[in-house]
Amino acid sequence: MITCFIRYEIDPFKKEEFAEYARNWGQAIPRCGADLIGYFGPHEGSATTAYAVYNIDSLAAYEAYRTRLMADPLGQENYAFSKRERFILKEDRIFLKNVSMPHGALVKP
C-alpha cells in the first residue's frame, strides 16, 4: 500500500471552486479504485495551500486507476472545470509508504 499526497497552491479568491472540485473527486476517486482519505482546504493560516490524500495498492494500480479516472464522466468534467476556472496554480504529487505501522491503541486523556 502506498499513499499519494497532493499539495496544491490555489487562488485564495477561489476557495469555493476548489471545494467544489474536491467534492467532485470525493465521488469519482473511490468509484475509480483509490481509497480517498480526503481533500483539505485552507481554514487557518495559509489561504493558498490545500492537500489531497489517498491510498492505492501500488504504482501499477495507480496507473490503472488514472486510466479509469480519465475515462470517468465526472472525472473528465472536473478536469475541465479546473482548467476553465483556473483555481489551481500549482500541483505537486508524491507517493509515500507508511513506515510507522503497526500503531499502538489510541489513548484519550
Side-chain angles (χ1 to χ4, degrees):
M1 180 74 62
I2 56 176
T3 303
C4 180
F5 292 83
I6 307 170
R7 181 185 181 279
Y8 295 96
E9 181 182 333
I10 64 171
D11 183 328
F13 300 104
K14 294 187 175 186
K15 291 189 283 187
E16 277 307 310
E17 288 85 345
F18 180 80
E20 180 180 342
Y21 173 80
R23 287 188 297 272
N24 289 338
W25 285 136
Q27 301 304 307
I29 287 173
R31 180 172 59 236
C32 291
D35 175 22
L36 180 63
I37 296 167
Y39 272 74
F40 302 86
H43 177 70
E44 185 67 31
S46 172
T48 61
T49 304
Y51 294 92
V53 183
Y54 62 88
N55 293 313
I56 194 113
D57 289 334
S58 65
L59 287 177
Y62 170 75
E63 293 301 327
Y65 150 78
R66 292 286 293 177
T67 298
R68 288 188 300 273
L69 196 62
M70 293 172 122
D72 184 85
L74 181 57
Q76 291 175 349
E77 173 52 36
N78 220 25
Y79 281 122
F81 173 57
S82 69
K83 287 182 182 181
R84 184 174 62 249
E85 297 300 322
R86 299 183 172 271
F87 49 85
I88 297 173
L89 306 176
K90 184 177 177 185
E91 180 178 332
D92 294 312
R93 185 180 315 264
I94 186 170
F95 294 90
L96 300 174
K97 183 176 180 177
N98 188 336
V99 296
S100 65
M101 299 292 273
H103 298 151
L106 174 64
V107 177
K108 294 188 177 188

